[in-house]
């Protein structure tokens, strides 16, 4: 029987009803006890790392999660992390960069309804997660509502339905039906597993709205080492007579700040070359482009890269090098 480490972090799945709304209460042992069928799938050890709503997750928590898996990597065949759904896609993306080429499954799951509720997705998601963690399903993934999503491509797209996550610009790795795993894609890392333990948290995101002034971008670039701009459609920046985004970005990239252009449209990614409003952006300002990567992945990738180097050419090279299938098109 396979040995799996269950790492509890909180979230709805482990929450109880309090006078001030749902809050994490159950330990990982208590969670496991609620799904006795798991003992037929594998042997489980429990570790309670945090007991927080995932709204309170920070990059420091991501590093601690990666560190725990690093320490225990040789002792287990796979890992299940129970986690709040709200920022699970960010954690999955971050772990995809912090733990690369893992042959062992690292499975994140959670639920939209607490495990103590009569109608809940908790039990099914837990069972499916353990099932995947015992299979030859390498690397970081989210298992949720019968779908297996590679960690670098997940996005929370429904705030209430059980089908909370989508796989963006990439197919599901597998689906689960009545306890059976049907695999669509197999990944087999060829390099040895590699762990990283640092992230640069000075990364901001700006969602463009029509008529926006440059002062917000200016402020974000003052405060951070990198800013990701979610622009419209395939991408571009406005040039109003009162706001010159090109000049603003040029001023900051000259000082070594990094700007990445992405899109606020959830599917199909950016392509700055298409329109006049974006065509000259890369050559004139030195911005990078996210293409088909998710914003969650870009945030985590930039934090991971900037923790290792600030040399622009090296940053550029690493940004456009695919990691864990995060990028297909460039
Ligand atoms: N607010 C909760 C969390 O992210 C939502 C959930 O787990 O579904 O921790």
């Amino acid at each position: 029987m396979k040995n799996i480490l269950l790492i509890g972090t909180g979230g709805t799945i482990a929450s109880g009803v309090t006078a001030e709304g749902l809050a994490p209460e159950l330990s990982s042992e208590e969670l496991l006890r609620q799904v006795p069928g798991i003992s037929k799938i594998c042997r489980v050890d429990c570790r309670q790392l945090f007991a927080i709503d995932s709204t309170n997750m920070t990059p420091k928590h991501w590093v601690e999660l990666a560190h725990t898996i690093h320490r225990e990597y040789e002792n287990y065949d796979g890992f299940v992390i129970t986690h709040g759904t709200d920022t699970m896609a960010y954690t999955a993306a971050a772990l995809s960069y912090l733990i690369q080429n893992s042959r062992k499954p690292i499975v994140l799951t959670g639920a939209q309804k607490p495990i103590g509720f009569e109608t809940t997705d908790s039990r099914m998601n837990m069972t499916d997660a353990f099932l995947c963690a015992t299979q030859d399903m390498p690397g970081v993934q989210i298992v949720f509502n019968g779908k297996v999503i590679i960690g670098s491509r997940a996005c929370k797209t429904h705030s209430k339905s059980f089908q909370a996550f989508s796989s963006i610009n990439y197919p599901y790795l597998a689906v689960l039906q009545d306890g059976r795993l049907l695999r669509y894609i197999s990944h087999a890392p060829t390099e040895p597993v590699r762990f990283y333990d640092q992230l640069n948290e000075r990364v901001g995101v700006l969602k463009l709205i029509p008529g926006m002034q440059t002062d917000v971008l200016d402020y974000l670039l003052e405060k951070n080492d990198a800013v990701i701009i979610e622009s419209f459609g395939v991408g571009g920046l406005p040039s109003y007579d009162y706001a010159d985004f090109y000049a603003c970005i040029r001023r900051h990239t000259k000082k070594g700040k990094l700007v990445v252009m992405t899109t606020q449209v959830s599917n199909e990614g950016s392509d700055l070359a298409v329109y006049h409003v974006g065509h000259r952006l890369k050559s004139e300002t030195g911005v990078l482009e996210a293409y088909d990567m998710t914003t969650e992945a870009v945030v985590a990738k930039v934090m991971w890269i900037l923790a290792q180097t600030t040399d622009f050419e090296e940053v550029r090279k690493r940004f456009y090098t695919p990691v864990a299938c995060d990028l297909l098109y460039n």
Side-chain angles (χ1 to χ4, degrees):
M1 217 178 215
K2 296 257 173 99
N3 288 319
I4 307 296
L5 181 64
L6 168 61
I7 303 173
T9 72
T12 294
I13 193 165
S15 287
V17 180
T18 78
E20 288 164 353
L22 297 175
E25 280 180 346
L26 268 66
S27 68
S28 39
E29 279 91 357
E30 287 168 322
L31 259 186
L32 194 64
R33 243 178 272 134
Q34 299 276 334
V35 200
I38 289 170
S39 63
K40 295 195 191 89
I41 303 173
C42 54
R43 214 187 61 74
V44 184
D45 286 336
C46 295
R47 185 78 42 88
Q48 190 67 40
L49 214 50
F50 327 115
I52 58 175
D53 190 294
S54 77
T55 303
N56 288 320
M57 280 275 168
T58 68
K60 292 189 180 54
H61 294 98
W62 304 337
V63 169
E64 201 176 330
L65 266 167
H67 187 63
T68 303
I69 294 172
H70 190 180
R71 261 198 331 257
E72 298 292 352
Y73 197 73
E74 293 311 321
N75 301 331
Y76 294 94
D77 300 302
F79 300 84
V80 171
I81 303 166
T82 50
H83 193 292
T85 61
D86 290 347
T87 65
M88 191 189 293
Y90 284 94
T91 302
L95 293 181
S96 303
Y97 299 106
L98 292 169
I99 310 171
Q100 296 184 24
N101 308 314
S102 172
R103 285 208 137 264
K104 300 184 181 183
I106 298 166
V107 180
L108 289 125
T109 197
Q112 291 281 54
K113 295 282 178 231
I115 204 156
F117 280 22
E118 210 170 287
T119 306
T120 177
D121 49 342
S122 300
R123 284 191 189 79
M124 182 180 98
N125 287 347
M126 285 268 286
T127 309
D128 288 350
F130 278 96
L131 210 78
C132 289
T134 58
Q135 305 293 310
D136 180 24
M137 293 283 291
V140 180
Q141 54 209 279
I142 288 184
V143 173
F144 211 94
N145 198 42
K147 310 284 189 302
V148 185
I149 299 171
I150 195 160
S152 61
R153 295 285 187 169
C155 183
K156 185 167 179 181
T157 47
H158 290 84
S159 59
K160 296 175 183 171
S161 322
F162 286 171
Q163 183 55 45
F165 291 94
S166 300
S167 184
I168 304 299
N169 303 328
Y170 204 76
Y172 292 122
L173 295 182
V175 294
L176 292 121
Q177 280 162 1
D178 303 323
R180 290 181 60 191
L181 183 67
L182 308 175
R183 300 180 64 165
Y184 295 151
I185 299 184
S186 320
H187 293 274
T190 46
E191 304 278 312
V193 62
R194 178 147 187 209
F195 291 89
Y196 294 83
D197 58 8
Q198 271 173 2
L199 292 170
N200 178 340
E201 296 184 30
R202 292 166 60 88
V203 175
V205 175
L206 176 65
K207 181 172 181 166
L208 206 65
I209 58 166
M212 184 181 266
Q213 306 265 5
T214 50
D215 53 353
V216 194
L217 178 60
D218 213 29
Y219 179 81
L220 278 177
L221 278 164
E222 280 299 328
K223 291 280 170 199
N224 292 285
D225 294 333
V227 171
I228 297 146
I229 303 178
E230 285 192 334
S231 73
F232 313 121
V234 287
L237 282 176
S239 41
Y240 314 117
D241 46 10
Y242 57 83
D244 188 343
F245 279 82
Y246 278 62
C248 174
I249 292 177
R250 219 178 292 122
R251 215 170 41 248
H252 287 279
T253 49
K254 266 197 197 131
K255 286 189 281 181
K257 302 287 172 123
L258 179 70
V259 176
V260 181
M261 293 296 296
T262 188
T263 173
Q264 48 195 264
V265 180
S266 7
N267 289 285
E268 300 174 351
S270 72
D271 190 353
L272 286 173
V274 177
Y275 292 99
H276 186 68
V277 286
H279 198 79
R280 294 170 300 119
L281 242 184
K282 283 205 273 194
S283 57
E284 287 188 9
T285 67
V287 300
L288 301 183
E289 169 167 17
Y291 293 110
D292 57 308
M293 286 190 270
T294 64
T295 298
E296 289 86 338
V298 174
V299 166
K301 193 171 196 175
V302 169
M303 286 187 181
W304 166 70
I305 294 171
L306 292 185
Q308 298 166 71
T309 180
T310 48
D311 175 74
F312 180 72
E313 264 322 302
E314 193 54 33
V315 169
R316 210 179 88 86
K317 202 175 101 203
R318 292 191 198 192
F319 186 76
Y320 289 132
T321 303
V323 176
C325 308
D326 61 348
L327 174 69
L328 292 174
Y329 180 91
N330 78 49

